[in-house]
Amino acid sequence: MRLTIFSKLVIGYIVIFMITIVMIVYINMQFNRLGKITNSIVSVHNRITNQNKKMIEMLLTLVNYEKKYVIMKDKDIYDLFLGTRNDFEKTLREMATIAGGEEFRKPLELISRSYQSYLDIFEKEAEFLKKGSRYPHDLYAGEKEKAVADIITGLRELRNQNENSIYEKLVRLEKSDINARKVVLLVTVLSVACCIILSIIITRSITRPLAVMRKKTKEIAGGHYRGGDMRISSSSEIDELVQDFNMMCHKLRETDKIKTDFFAFMSHELRTPVTSIREGTNLLLDGIGGEASEKQKRILKIIAAESNRLIDLINSIMDLSKMEAGKMQYHFVESDIAPLLQRAIIEIEPLAKSKNIRTELHIEENVPHIRMDIDKLLQALRNLLGNAVKYSPEGGLVRVFARSNNSHLEVAVSDEGPGIPRENLGSVFDKFRSTHKGTGLGLAIVKSIIRSHGGKVWAENNSGQGSTFIFLLPA
């Protein structure tokens, strides 16, 4: 039978209270035999202990960023790794300065040697990841784990050596009080350690599952329902909460699948009759069945235009359904994006001229070639340019920029429209974010296409007016 959270807290507080009482009573009994600890113990060994704990925390953070980068290949995570690495190396240098004695030489050498080995292995692996090359992942993971284990071993040896040094200095204190001092120190250390460890165990058993569930909740809020298989061993209340959470995720996945299947089915079933309506309207406009009056022709043109708009909407829904289901086929080739940008601008020119909107294309020199599906990327560019023209006022300006950004190609589409409310910048690419000028599918399709190319896309408001949509693609 698992304890409840309340029971864990009560037992933990009682144990900590009892340990504290025993420690206080015993220290008071031995207080008259204690002397002053030399300043060297406080100024040197205490700093070594703090630096040791700090290095362990930094090492765990470093390993966490490294593992995330290997999985996600995100440059921002790599930058966090580099920042943590610099902090760790700085702390290691400070440790070497503080622990300058001969007794700390071996553990410091082990830490330095193992840490350098870990960096060398990860840098080799990072090169493979940047190039997209295959490599023996399990071999590299094993070597990194061994290097990290050696670093932790060195830190433990350093900590143990530090404690031994403290003990030796205490032994050299006044001979008459040496036994009492040693016992008091031991009781103090063990009591504090027990309190800290017990507090950490109780707190961790409560906060760890809640942190996992909080992370999964954020993923669900973003439309990702993969959190339905959580397995967390904790108190009975949290176990029940996890089971309910998993059930909720399964239901959301089922609901989302039903919705996607419904849209795909309805789109497929609607396209044939709507196409027939459009073709029949065109035949009537061509005079088949008799000459139509001017009023009838205007009505038929409206029907034809609305039929075309409905077919475009159905096609967009079908494309988005295929993308979400992972059934959209891509044919990647390495090519220059400049002709594609020019083609997209030419295609949007009639709509732009109808609103007296100017378009400009700025392509920097040495723009890298990228692997892309030409048709799909053209579709994304059409949607971005179409949005820019729709939201720009009469006589406005739409600009397209292409430039090199580190090892990526950056493309930006800027307009002079009303801009995007700050609270909507993060959700503007969500599907069915309908506006008074669109269905809310175009930007969702753009996001799916760019992600399928290994890139990312986001929106920003311009300093003056309007907004800019930017996407990065790996070169």
Side-chain angles (χ1 to χ4, degrees):
M1 179 180 178
R2 292 178 179 173
L3 296 174
T4 64
I5 295 176
F6 178 77
S7 300
K8 287 183 178 180
L9 291 174
V10 170
I11 294 173
Y13 290 145
I14 291 175
V15 172
I16 292 174
F17 179 76
M18 295 301 297
I19 291 175
T20 303
I21 292 298
V22 171
M23 180 186 68
I24 292 174
V25 170
Y26 189 83
I27 289 177
N28 285 335
M29 292 172 58
Q30 302 294 334
F31 187 78
N32 58 340
R33 301 179 62 189
L34 293 176
K36 294 182 179 181
I37 305 294
T38 59
N39 290 333
S40 63
I41 295 178
V42 176
S43 61
V44 176
H45 295 285
N46 189 47
R47 290 179 63 188
I48 292 176
T49 300
N50 293 335
Q51 294 293 79
N52 187 280
K53 292 179 181 179
K54 185 177 178 182
M55 290 177 70
I56 291 177
E57 293 174 356
M58 288 182 178
L59 179 63
L60 295 177
T61 302
L62 195 70
V63 173
N64 185 33
Y65 285 146
E66 170 257 316
K67 289 182 177 179
K68 286 184 178 180
Y69 177 73
V70 170
I71 295 173
M72 302 175 65
K73 306 176 184 64
D74 191 330
K75 183 179 180 299
D76 293 337
I77 295 177
Y78 185 74
D79 291 340
L80 291 173
F81 173 87
L82 294 179
T84 307
R85 185 190 72 178
N86 292 336
D87 293 339
F88 184 89
E89 292 174 353
K90 179 181 177 182
T91 306
L92 180 59
R93 289 193 296 269
E94 292 175 356
M95 178 69 84
T97 302
I98 297 170
E102 182 64 20
E103 66 272 22
F104 300 115
R105 182 176 60 83
K106 288 185 178 180
L108 284 174
E109 288 179 353
L110 176 59
I111 294 170
S112 299
R113 184 171 62 253
S114 302
Y115 174 70
Q116 187 59 49
S117 176
Y118 170 79
L119 288 184
D120 293 341
I121 295 168
F122 176 67
E123 287 175 359
K124 292 178 182 178
E125 188 177 24
E127 287 298 321
F128 284 114
L129 293 174
K130 291 177 182 177
K131 295 177 181 178
S133 303
R134 297 176 63 87
Y135 69 100
H137 175 269
D138 292 340
L139 177 62
Y140 276 72
E143 291 180 351
K144 287 186 293 184
E145 288 178 1
K146 183 180 182 304
V148 171
D150 290 340
I151 296 172
I152 293 176
T153 299
L155 289 171
R156 288 175 178 171
E157 292 179 2
L158 187 65
R159 182 192 62 193
N160 294 336
Q161 187 61 48
N162 183 52
E163 291 176 353
N164 291 335
S165 297
I166 293 175
Y167 173 77
E168 291 173 2
K169 287 187 179 181
L170 289 174
V171 170
R172 290 195 297 268
L173 293 177
E174 297 178 39
K175 292 181 179 182
S176 60
D177 296 328
I178 188 170
N179 292 329
R181 294 173 186 272
K182 182 173 65 174
V183 172
V184 168
L185 178 63
L186 182 60
V187 171
T188 302
V189 171
L190 290 178
S191 299
V192 172
C194 288
C195 292
I196 293 175
I197 292 173
L198 188 59
S199 299
I200 290 175
I201 291 174
I202 295 175
T203 304
R204 185 65 174 166
S205 68
I206 298 172
T207 59
R208 184 184 63 84
L210 295 179
V212 173
M213 293 184 66
R214 180 185 179 188
K215 179 182 178 182
K216 293 297 182 183
T217 303
K218 288 183 178 179
E219 292 179 359
I220 291 174
H224 304 287
Y225 309 123
R226 298 186 302 274
D229 298 317
M230 284 196 302
R231 296 290 183 268
I232 300 175
S233 178
S234 185
S235 59
S236 57
E237 299 101 321
I238 294 180
D239 279 345
E240 293 175 1
L241 184 60
V242 169
Q243 292 175 8
D244 294 338
F245 186 88
N246 288 338
M247 185 179 298
M248 178 190 69
C249 290
H250 286 305
K251 293 294 184 182
L252 287 173
R253 278 208 301 263
E254 292 174 3
T255 303
D256 189 65
K257 186 177 184 302
I258 291 172
K259 178 191 65 179
T260 301
D261 292 344
F262 172 77
F263 283 128
F265 173 77
M266 290 303 297
S267 299
H268 183 270
E269 292 299 315
L270 288 172
R271 185 161 57 177
T272 299
V274 172
T275 303
S276 299
I277 293 172
R278 182 187 64 180
E279 295 304 321
T281 304
N282 290 334
L283 290 175
L284 291 175
L285 285 172
D286 292 338
I288 303 300
E291 186 68 25
S293 66
E294 289 300 321
K295 184 175 181 180
Q296 290 172 333
K297 287 182 178 179
R298 286 198 300 271
I299 294 174
L300 289 172
K301 287 180 180 178
I302 292 173
I303 295 174
E306 291 302 310
S307 297
N308 288 330
R309 191 169 74 88
L310 187 54
I311 289 174
D312 290 339
L313 175 58
I314 292 171
N315 289 335
S316 296
I317 293 175
M318 291 189 70
D319 285 345
L320 189 58
S321 298
K322 288 181 181 178
M323 291 173 184
E324 289 184 340
K327 296 180 180 179
M328 181 64 73
Q329 294 183 352
Y330 288 84
H331 304 282
F332 291 97
V333 294
E334 186 166 331
S335 181
D336 183 8
I337 200 172
L340 207 60
L341 294 173
Q342 294 166 354
R343 178 178 170 184
I345 289 178
I346 291 173
E347 291 181 1
I348 205 68
E349 278 295 329
L351 178 61
K353 287 183 178 179
S354 68
K355 295 181 64 177
N356 194 28
I357 292 175
R358 294 178 294 115
T359 58
E360 293 181 358
L361 175 60
H362 305 274
I363 302 177
E364 292 185 355
E365 295 182 359
N366 300 322
V367 170
H369 287 199
I370 59 172
R371 289 186 72 255
M372 61 180 171
D373 184 309
I374 295 176
D375 292 335
K376 300 298 187 302
L377 198 56
L378 181 60
Q379 182 182 4
L381 290 170
R382 287 177 183 143
N383 289 346
L384 291 177
L385 284 168
N387 268 9
V389 172
K390 286 179 185 177
Y391 285 96
S392 291
E394 295 280 346
L397 174 64
V398 172
R399 292 179 292 178
V400 181
F401 301 89
R403 61 178 69 92
S404 176
N405 186 340
N406 294 328
S407 59
H408 290 74
L409 167 69
E410 177 182 322
V411 176
V413 179
S414 178
D415 61 59
E416 296 181 346
I420 303 170
R422 182 180 297 275
E423 63 272 14
N424 293 338
L425 281 174
S427 60
V428 71
F429 291 95
D430 294 347
K431 57 185 176 182
F432 303 113
R433 279 284 175 179
S434 179
T435 66
H436 67 284
K437 294 187 179 182
T439 61
L441 293 176
L443 291 179
I445 291 174
V446 170
K447 180 180 179 180
S448 180
I449 291 174
I450 297 302
R451 283 190 170 181
S452 296
H453 281 72
K456 59 181 179 179
V457 60
W458 68 93
E460 297 176 354
N461 281 323
N462 300 334
S463 57
Q465 65 176 5
S467 56
T468 300
F469 289 81
I470 307 168
F471 64 82
L472 286 177
L473 295 177

